[in-house]
Structure formats: structure tokens, C-alpha cells
Amino acid sequence: MASDRTFELGLVMAGAISAGAYSAGVLDFLFEALDAYEEAKGQSGWTGPTHDVRVPVMAGASAGGMTASICALHAFHDLAHVWPDKPLPEPQENRLYSSWVRDISLDALLETSDLDNGRDAAGLKSALCCDVLDRIVKDAFDLSPGLRQRNWIGRGDDKFLRVMVTLTNLRGVPYSFPLFGSQSAETFGMLNHGDYYDYAVGVAPAPPSESCPLDIRDTTQPDWDLYRTTALATGAFPVGLMPRKVRRPSAAYYRDAGTVGYEDPSSRRFVTIKPDGGFGTEAPYDFISVDGGVIDNAPLELARRFLAGSAVHNDPNGESASKAVLLVAPFPNFTQAPAADVDDRLIHVVMKLAGTFVDQARFKPDELEKAANETYFSRFMISPTREGNGTPEAVAFPIACGVLGGFGGFLHESFRHHDYLLGRRNAQAFLRWNFALPESNPLFAGVPIDKERWHVRDAEGKSQSIAANADQTLPKKSFATMVGGAKAEVGFPIIPLVDRLCVPIELAPADMPRPQDVGIHELKAKIHSRANSVVTTLVDVDLRRETDSLGVAGIAVRAGASVFGTQIITEKAISTIAAAIEQVTKAFA
């Protein structure tokens, strides 16, 4: 049973592509810190805060949605953690690391198994092979035996974890509104393509809710197949990765669940909007889904609204905050202005469109401003930071996975390993120096806390690691009690770190990215093979009808298109990858 002094934390993982390795590292450390705090606060001799921290919800988009889906499984199983100076855990012991660092690679994405043995007859589904993603999701359920019920999972007596993953519903759901001033019954119609799936993962029976209940004791049940599908669907990067078919039992879900709405400024309540009157009877309701990050790349609102409940808003003031969302953002919007680009050729514009869609999905200045505001205590953010070497490349790419528009981590396992460990290091620093509340917050009331040991210290401006006990020489950090107020009160950590978790996570030379180990020549051969299979399938299957109309000439057209397309794709890909390797080399020299 949770105490009255409880802090609820909603975890939100933004879209990341290969930088899911960074997000996974952050979650790895958060799990370790929460487990250690839960154990330590009940032991004799503990001198720190004793409030409860609960995680009732995780939300994610794209790679973040895949990370949330894997995390939810580990929430009920042991998780062996990754430290630079210790042997790596076995895959069953840590599916976050095995999935994001060991198992995924560009080599696997360049396989042609999805187009071999007659599978190409169904037509081209994606530029890259997604068989490896199917294997990763399947293997994610192969965990260390035995269930673990963590006290910090769930809300109150409810030990279920809500998991929300965003989807881009290509079919869409229709909404319509009356045309004001019109004397007719005409309405203004629009389609909503932003969708999400909501699960409650735990040990049955689940409490009543609008979510899909999943019993963690038996993952062979049919609803778990849907869980696997949506984990893949949320990360189905358009064109690059295969879209997924998603099924809801009925279209009535959209009418009953109240997922779409707006905040009424007068009542400050969330008002739901129902779909168009003629929609909602179809059963089942099927649609094709692509990457959830296309529409909502950082689903802060899903987690925030769940935490707030009927209150609509979570208290952001330091003196009274009791709930917060924590956004893990491998690619925050803190960036320099892009270089001038006036190339108006069609091929260039088309290639820029995908990046433009992703950038726009990430553009949420109001939400990110609150997460970055040090006087706002209901939203926090962890994003990549490292000392770097001072080069422009190091500033632009604090993580190795950041090159190639986020696909860079697939180039080499060392890129992903580094970013995973950096995620753990950044999470450690965040919990140690930033994730805190003023000491007047009721969370700390009536507890004999050793203030000299547990007051948060001010490490601002410190670029080097600070040993576990060396922070006592730093000045105490001041926090604001009200949004926009002066920082005038010392504070305590929300998730206190036990001594062993204050030992700085140091990345050794062996943990750094090794761009020199990327086999560019071997990679070129694999790209050529994949490109040939893709282009051949495209012209021989998907465009066969169009070329058949040319008669005998169609054969020559298809053959020429295959050769020309394969060559163009291969050369363009290799030149882009070579540039990315150079960027990583300079960023981490």
C-alpha cells in the first residue's frame, strides 16, 4: 500500500530511430535506481527521504514506443544492468541492451530474406528488411524466469503498468463540425490520423479501465500478439521500415474511449470530441499503421493526462508538486539554424520531406519549454550531453546514433554501446543533480533526513565526473517553490541514489564509438544486393502492369530500371554513409 507521501512519475520516450539505444540506457539506470531506493529506504540506518515513488504509466513513440514495450516486460522480471567495467549481461537478463545494441544492425536490415523464396510476390513493403525487427520483438519475451512484482510499479493498490504507444493510422478516423452561420446541415470534415494503443500490463485480474488488459503470466494469449504488432507498428519508419496491419475489435472504440478532445479554457477541463455521427459501427476496424512519431513523436500529453486524471493538470509548483512526466529525448529541439538550402530539384525536395515530417513531429515548443524550465516541477527531460572535444560535430552529435538522420547507430555496434552507456551516465547525473524538489514539499515532511548528506548539490558548470562523496564540497542547489519564482530553497532528491549508484559511470576508451571499424567496402556490397532486390521487386511486381503495356520493350525497361536504380541507390547511400562516418570521427576524436 502506497503512503500518503507518494510521487507519481510518468515515463515518456520520444522517437529516436537507432538512438533507442540511448533511451534504453536511460531506462536501464532508472530501473536500477528505483529498485535500490525501494530496498534501501526500508533498512535500518537509512538517513534519506522515505517517500514512495510510483511509475503508473509509460508512453512512447517510434523507437521510444518499442523501448516502452520492452521496458514493460522487464518491469515484471529482473533486469541485469550494464556497467562499463563489468561483463555484459546475457540477452535474457537485459533485453533493453540486447535488442538495441547487440541484435539490431545495418547488416541485418540489408538482408534480402523478406524478398526471397517467393515472398517478393506480395510486393515491396519497405526499403529495408524488417525480419530482424520481428526476431527482436519475439526474443524480447524470452526473459529470465520468474516474475517480479516491483512496489514502485502502478498506482495505489493497482499494480498494473499502463503502456501507451503512438501509431499513425493511415486510414484515419473522421470528425465533423457544423459550419457556423450556415443555414444547411453541412459540416466541416477532417480526418484524424494520430492514434495510439493503451495497455494495462500486470497480473490478472486487471482493474476496470479503457485499456487492453494483459496478464504478464501468460504472454501466449492473443492480445499479446496485438502488443507485439503495435510495438513494431509504432517504429515503422515510413518507406524505410515495413508498415503494420492493426486491428481494433470495433470502430466504436473511438466513440467510447474519448481519446480526442481539447482543453476548455473556461472550465479548464478536457472536453472529448466524438467521431462523425456515421462512424463507429464497423467491426472489426482494420488499418495500416506507420511510425507513431510521424504524428506524435513525444507523447507527453498521453502520460500527463493519465497522471492528472480528473484534475486535468498536474501541480507544477515546487512546494506542492506530487506528479511529473519525464521525457527521454535523444533528439531535443535545441539546435542551430540549418545551413541555407536552395536546391529546388524534385529529387532533393522529395528526399528532404521525410526529415521535415520528423522535425515537425518533434516541434512542441510549449511542452519542451516546460520540461526545460527549472522552476516547473511537473515536467522534466533527459537528453544527451557529454563533454565532447569542442568541434562543431561534437556539438551537433553528442550521441553517435545521431548521424544519418538518426539511422547512424545501425552502422556499428560500438555506436549503440556508447550511446546506451551515455544514457545511463546522463540518467545518473539527472537523478543526482536535477530531479529534486524544495525541502518544504510535503513529500519530505515529518522525516528525520540527514540534510548534509541528502541536500542536492549544485554541479552547474562542472564538466568532469564528481566522485560519490566529493559533492559535499559543492554549494547546495537552490530551487523555486513556485513557477517563475526565485530559487531560494534547498531541496532533496525525488529518487535518492544509494552510495554505490553515486559512483560516476565512466566511459572508457573501449566504450567509445569506433567509426574506423565500419567496413565500408563490405557494406557497399550488401547495399548493392539489397538495392537490387528492392528495385527488381518494384519494377517486376509492383509496376509490372505498367511495363507490360509496353510489350517486348517492357522487358528492356524493367532490366534497365533495375540496373540504373540499383547503381544510383548504392552510390548515393555509400557517399552519405561515408560522410556520416567522417562526422562521427570528428565528433569523437
Side-chain angles (χ1 to χ4, degrees):
M1 180 73 178
S3 72
D4 292 335
R5 296 180 299 105
T6 300
F7 192 91
E8 288 191 349
L9 179 63
L11 301 178
V12 181
M13 277 65 76
I17 313 177
S18 68
Y22 175 85
S23 300
V26 170
L27 269 294
D28 183 316
F29 190 84
L30 285 175
F31 269 54
E32 187 171 15
L34 284 163
D35 283 343
Y37 171 56
E38 185 68 26
E39 179 183 0
K41 71 177 182 177
Q43 296 178 348
S44 61
W46 176 254
T47 63
T50 59
H51 60 275
D52 291 325
V53 178
R54 300 293 296 274
V55 178
V57 60
M58 292 183 184
S62 190
M66 300 179 78
T67 302
S69 299
I70 297 171
C71 265
L73 301 176
H74 262 304
F76 298 92
H77 290 268
D78 285 332
L79 176 64
H81 305 287
V82 179
W83 285 84
D85 56 348
K86 296 180 181 179
L88 293 172
E90 293 299 316
Q92 283 184 314
E93 300 173 328
N94 188 326
R95 285 297 175 186
L96 288 171
Y97 185 85
S98 67
S99 298
W100 280 112
V101 180
R102 285 173 163 162
D103 298 340
I104 190 67
S105 68
L106 185 55
D107 283 351
L109 292 169
L110 291 174
E111 291 176 357
T112 59
S113 55
D114 60 326
L115 299 175
D116 294 339
N117 301 319
R119 292 177 67 187
D120 58 342
L124 184 65
K125 302 295 178 63
S126 57
L128 297 173
C129 179
C130 295
D131 288 354
V132 62
L133 301 180
D134 294 322
R135 293 195 296 270
I136 288 172
V137 169
K138 177 178 179 293
D139 291 345
F141 286 77
D142 182 14
L143 299 166
S144 297
L147 290 180
R148 177 175 181 175
Q149 184 67 69
R150 288 178 163 88
N151 288 334
W152 52 267
I153 291 292
R155 164 181 281 174
D157 293 329
D158 177 0
K159 296 294 186 179
F160 274 71
L161 176 65
R162 293 288 283 272
V163 182
M164 303 178 182
V165 294
T166 63
L167 306 172
T168 297
N169 181 336
L170 295 186
R171 184 177 182 181
V173 177
Y175 290 80
S176 60
F177 304 89
L179 293 175
F180 292 102
S182 174
Q183 300 302 312
S184 70
E186 292 181 0
T187 58
F188 180 82
M190 60 185 70
L191 284 174
N192 177 39
H193 294 280
D195 209 338
Y196 70 95
Y197 238 95
D198 180 0
Y199 301 95
V201 179
V203 176
S209 74
E210 66 275 15
S211 61
C212 175
L214 296 172
D215 190 339
I216 192 66
R217 295 172 300 179
D218 184 3
T219 58
T220 64
Q221 293 299 309
D223 282 343
W224 280 105
D225 290 335
L226 178 63
Y227 187 87
R228 295 176 177 89
T229 298
T230 54
L232 292 164
T234 190
F237 194 87
V239 180
L241 303 178
M242 186 173 73
R244 303 288 171 162
K245 297 177 181 178
V246 178
R247 165 167 290 185
R248 291 197 185 275
S250 171
Y253 163 83
Y254 298 97
R255 185 172 304 283
D256 300 335
T259 58
V260 174
Y262 64 93
E263 183 182 313
D264 181 62
S266 58
S267 66
R268 295 184 65 79
R269 289 284 186 260
F270 184 78
V271 179
T272 61
I273 302 173
K274 294 186 180 299
D276 186 79
F279 177 84
T281 60
E282 183 175 346
Y285 177 74
D286 298 328
F287 61 91
I288 297 296
S289 175
V290 296
D291 197 310
V294 172
I295 303 295
D296 189 357
N297 198 60
L300 280 162
E301 280 299 292
L302 293 182
R304 183 199 67 77
R305 278 169 36 204
F306 176 82
L307 289 181
S310 60
V312 180
H313 287 282
N314 298 308
D315 190 339
N317 297 301
E319 65 180 8
S320 50
S322 62
K323 300 177 181 181
V325 290
L326 170 58
L327 173 65
V328 183
F331 304 123
N333 279 18
F334 304 148
T335 185
Q336 300 175 347
D341 185 354
V342 294
D343 190 341
D344 59 357
R345 293 175 301 151
L346 177 61
I347 185 65
H348 180 75
V349 171
V350 168
M351 294 179 65
K352 293 281 288 186
L353 275 176
T356 299
F357 291 148
V358 173
D359 289 341
Q360 190 61 42
R362 295 175 185 164
F363 185 73
K364 296 184 176 180
D366 54 335
E367 295 181 359
L368 293 182
E369 189 279 330
K370 291 175 182 177
N373 187 336
E374 292 186 347
T375 70
Y376 207 96
F377 290 90
S378 63
R379 297 196 186 194
F380 294 86
M381 179 170 65
I382 298 177
S383 57
T385 180
R386 62 183 177 91
E387 186 176 358
N389 56 22
T391 63
E393 288 79 10
V395 174
F397 304 110
I399 51 176
C401 292
V403 299
L404 286 180
F407 279 86
F410 298 137
L411 288 173
H412 200 268
E413 184 174 331
S414 66
F415 292 18
R416 306 185 296 277
H417 175 79
H418 167 272
D419 290 359
Y420 191 98
L421 286 176
L422 183 66
R424 280 184 49 85
R425 178 177 168 86
N426 286 172
Q428 180 188 52
F430 170 76
L431 297 183
R432 194 175 177 189
W433 313 117
N434 298 307
F435 195 46
L437 290 167
E439 65 176 351
S440 62
N441 188 286
L443 218 59
F444 313 115
V447 181
I449 301 173
D450 181 347
K451 295 186 177 182
E452 286 305 308
R453 164 64 179 87
W454 291 104
H455 273 151
V456 176
R457 305 291 168 155
D458 191 348
E460 188 69 28
K462 302 294 183 181
S463 58
Q464 301 296 323
S465 296
I466 300 173
N469 297 318
D471 57 355
Q472 298 299 303
T473 63
L474 298 175
K476 295 181 179 181
K477 189 170 185 175
S478 296
F479 299 89
T481 59
M482 301 290 290
V483 174
K487 300 175 186 177
E489 189 175 303
V490 293
F492 293 118
I494 297 174
I495 303 177
L497 293 183
V498 300
D499 288 345
R500 68 177 179 83
L501 294 185
C502 289
V503 176
I505 297 173
E506 303 284 10
L507 275 67
D511 299 311
M512 302 305 287
R514 301 192 303 276
Q516 70 276 10
D517 289 350
V518 178
I520 194 76
H521 297 297
E522 295 84 354
L523 200 55
K524 184 174 183 178
K526 292 175 181 176
I527 292 173
H528 186 276
S529 175
R530 176 68 191 178
N532 182 64
S533 293
V534 166
V535 176
T536 300
T537 301
L538 187 64
V539 298
D540 283 355
V541 178
D542 295 275
L543 299 176
R544 184 61 178 254
R545 181 181 301 176
E546 286 75 9
T547 54
D548 276 349
S549 65
L550 300 175
V552 177
I555 300 175
V557 169
R558 289 194 294 271
S562 296
V563 173
F564 179 75
T566 298
Q567 186 67 19
I568 291 296
I569 291 172
T570 302
E571 294 303 325
K572 180 63 178 179
I574 284 298
S575 64
T576 304
I577 289 171
I581 293 172
E582 183 179 1
Q583 288 174 321
V584 175
T585 301
K586 292 179 178 178
F588 290 88

